[in-house]
Amino acid sequence: MYSLEIEGGCSLFGEIDISGSKNSALPLIASTILAKNKICISNVPDVADIKTLIRLLTMLGGEASFSENTLYIDTSNLSKTKAVYDIVRTMRASILVLAPLLARFGYCEVSLPGGCAIGSRPVDLHLKALQKMGAEITIEEGYIKAKAPKGLLGTEITFKKKTVTGTENIVMAASLAQGTTILKNCATEPEVMQLCEVLQSAGVEIEGIGTETLKIVGSCGKLLNFPDIEVIPDRIEAGTYLCVGAITNSEITINRVNPNHLSSVLEKFQEMGFRLDTQTNSITIFPNYNIQPVQIVTAEYPLFPTDMQAQFVALATQANGISQVEERLFENRFMHVNELQRLGAKIEIEKNRVYIYGKSNLNGADVMATDLRASSALVLAGLVARGKTKVHRIYHLDRGYEKLEEKLTALGAKVRRVQN
Ligand code: EPZ
């Protein structure tokens, strides 16, 4: 097991490049199951979740080579249709192979992902939608067994709740279905948009990309001819590094970003009194010696993303006043609060809301990472805490933040990875 040791209190300066989006690369890699050609995907972040999904596809018979952030993947010899528990339990987004496998082979078994630190994470909306498309679905010994021997049928589906990977799964199912599928109440995250754009370039007729209603004309089971793909920038990594600048009162620039993908986050920085210089593909944040408290409610895109909630709770500990953050998407996404309190943060939890009393002087301590974004909040707090903070179980961070120490060190932070 590794930990990250952070010497807090340094002010930082400089610029870093943001990596490709993990949450766009994952559905794109899963969608290659629908391809008849070998595909080149560039700007793929070299993080654990990506390697896990690549491992799953090779276990199913796919061929892949991944280096220098470029992934070549060929699924023409894909033959197996069982996504085993050992893989799926380590990375819930493996559920994204369910619809493509079912659409292509008419049968598949995918382990139920189970819950994770932030919540129960059900997949009922994925399964109900596939059943509406004609799939027979049973749950046996912890596995989703899905059958559609005659292929999936286009139909009209309204998601009861907006679901990112649910929308992505059903868009992939509809792409190979017989007939037209109308999907309503879709998630509209940039990652969903990119998947739709790639499938459209692969020959699937899709209308309404970027809106809550998608009309998809299926290929009747014919595999698709994919274009080369470049993964969009990771908007959550971008927001996290802007928090690095904000919490240490530093001037830092992040490059290779799309500012339009994080408008709601930029608005919150401005509400807290931070000045931002936003260019086409870069954003600079400047020091702010009187951070204002903030009110945040997490919601579906384009509103404030739940994946930035933990980072802003950490930042709010340095605001002069009482901030309030409400988590509306997940039932247990405040695991970072207890750890922040160990560093001296004054935070109260009331059901799905937290009140952060700032400004509190934080002092370094040992803290425990519990999930990907909570661990980034602990790193942020460690950067401003006096003395040394040791973040344990940083395999959580390695799931979604590429070259974390290198990027932080490049900005002048004193961080190092140590083996426990
Ligand atoms: C995606 O997860 C992201 N993961 C998550 O990012 C992100 O936090 C989440 O969307 C919300 O934005 C990937 O894209 C790989 P949902 P997903 O289905 O698709 C409920 C990270 O840090 N729901 O949009 O699993 C669900 O419980 C990760 O990178 C059902 O009830 O999230 C939640 O309350 C963490 N039934 C809400 O919908 C279902 O069948 C939104 O979940 C599906 C979801």
Side-chain angles (χ1 to χ4, degrees):
M1 289 263 225
Y2 285 90
S3 303
L4 207 60
E5 258 179 19
I6 305 162
E7 199 59 50
C10 310
S11 76
L12 311 181
F13 180 77
E15 52 187 288
I16 52 150
D17 287 348
I18 294 301
S19 302
S21 162
K22 162 182 85 81
N23 288 352
S24 191
L26 290 170
L28 289 170
I29 293 167
S31 74
T32 63
I33 294 170
L34 306 175
K36 63 182 169 194
N37 61 308
K38 182 173 180 178
I39 300 164
C40 171
I41 308 179
S42 57
N43 203 34
V44 178
D46 187 356
V47 296
D49 276 6
I50 295 295
K51 289 182 211 165
T52 301
L53 187 55
I54 292 171
R55 196 161 74 247
L56 172 55
L57 285 192
T58 44
M59 280 169 75
L60 297 173
E63 285 140 51
S65 70
F66 182 40
S67 71
E68 306 291 312
N69 298 110
T70 300
L71 171 64
Y72 291 93
I73 197 152
D74 182 350
T75 63
S76 47
N77 296 323
L78 210 71
S79 54
K80 300 189 184 74
T81 57
K82 182 170 185 175
V84 293
Y85 173 70
D86 275 356
I87 288 257
V88 178
R89 72 184 172 86
T90 60
M91 210 262 304
R92 303 191 60 269
S94 312
I95 192 71
L96 284 165
V97 303
L98 172 66
L101 287 173
L102 180 60
R104 175 166 169 177
F105 295 103
Y107 175 78
C108 68
E109 289 179 65
V110 175
S111 168
L112 269 171
C116 72
I118 64 176
S120 61
R121 309 294 293 276
V123 290
D124 57 309
L125 301 178
H126 302 235
L127 304 184
K128 284 192 186 101
L130 289 172
Q131 284 169 324
K132 273 208 84 174
M133 297 180 78
E136 286 163 48
I137 296 202
T138 55
I139 308 287
E140 294 169 36
E141 294 149 16
Y143 278 80
I144 301 161
K145 294 195 175 176
K147 291 188 193 114
K150 299 195 188 70
L152 294 166
L153 305 173
T155 183
E156 180 162 323
I157 295 165
T158 301
F159 288 106
K160 187 165 59 67
K161 284 173 93 168
K162 280 192 170 54
T163 160
V164 174
T165 49
T167 302
E168 291 163 347
N169 240 334
I170 305 310
V171 163
M172 292 189 278
S175 296
L176 249 58
Q178 297 154 44
T180 299
T181 301
I182 309 279
L183 293 179
K184 293 185 175 174
N185 199 27
C186 295
T188 59
E189 273 72 358
E191 297 79 30
V192 176
M193 276 183 71
Q194 179 166 34
L195 174 67
C196 292
E197 286 160 353
V198 164
L199 289 167
Q200 191 177 57
S201 317
V204 180
E205 222 182 291
I206 303 182
E207 286 173 32
I209 295 178
T211 74
E212 297 179 358
T213 303
L214 293 171
K215 180 180 174 191
I216 301 164
V217 180
S219 71
C220 294
K222 280 200 285 307
L223 294 180
L224 307 169
N225 201 22
F226 275 57
D228 287 352
I229 303 167
E230 180 179 344
V231 179
I232 58 173
D234 192 317
R235 60 193 169 96
I236 304 302
E237 186 198 21
T240 305
Y241 279 100
L242 288 174
C243 281
V244 166
I247 205 166
T248 58
N249 260 327
S250 309
E251 177 184 329
I252 73 155
T253 297
I254 55 173
N255 297 315
R256 294 172 58 88
V257 292
N258 182 338
N260 302 322
H261 289 168
L262 61 164
S263 313
S264 57
V265 176
L266 301 185
E267 277 163 30
K268 288 302 171 187
F269 282 120
Q270 284 156 342
E271 269 179 45
M272 297 177 82
F274 289 95
R275 183 167 68 85
L276 298 166
D277 174 17
T278 301
Q279 302 297 328
T280 313
N281 297 111
S282 69
I283 303 171
T284 301
I285 190 165
F286 295 92
N288 163 16
Y289 298 99
N290 179 16
I291 302 174
Q292 297 306 303
V294 69
Q295 318 299 320
I296 286 174
V297 177
T298 66
E300 296 84 359
Y301 193 86
L303 300 177
F304 191 90
T306 174
D307 290 352
M308 283 301 304
Q309 178 258 106
Q311 297 91 314
F312 268 76
V313 168
L315 175 57
T317 65
Q318 302 307 300
N320 296 306
I322 304 173
S323 298
Q324 181 182 312
V325 176
E326 185 174 335
E327 172 56 60
R328 286 218 173 137
L329 270 82
F330 292 110
E331 63 268 31
N332 188 35
R333 203 165 197 178
F334 288 132
M335 307 278 279
H336 43 288
V337 170
N338 292 337
E339 300 305 304
L340 290 172
Q341 287 165 335
R342 288 176 51 75
L343 298 171
K346 296 177 191 61
I347 305 173
E348 279 171 14
I349 300 184
E350 225 177 74
K351 296 200 186 80
N352 67 329
R353 198 174 289 166
V354 288
Y355 298 90
I356 305 111
Y357 297 82
K359 167 172 181 162
S360 43
N361 292 320
L362 305 181
N363 294 298
D366 283 60
V367 288
M368 188 74 76
T370 50
D371 60 86
L372 172 56
R373 306 304 173 185
S375 17
S376 67
L378 301 181
V379 172
L380 287 167
L383 289 171
V384 73
R386 203 192 346 269
K388 187 168 78 177
T389 296
K390 192 168 176 182
V391 182
H392 295 261
R393 295 187 184 173
I394 57 163
Y395 59 83
H396 288 292
L397 275 166
D398 294 337
R399 295 188 52 178
Y401 287 100
E402 186 182 39
K403 297 194 182 112
L404 181 81
E405 300 101 277
E406 291 90 324
K407 294 187 181 187
L408 288 174
T409 307
L411 295 172
K414 293 195 184 93
V415 300
R416 68 192 184 103
R417 180 178 291 249
V418 294
Q419 192 154 10
N420 287 343

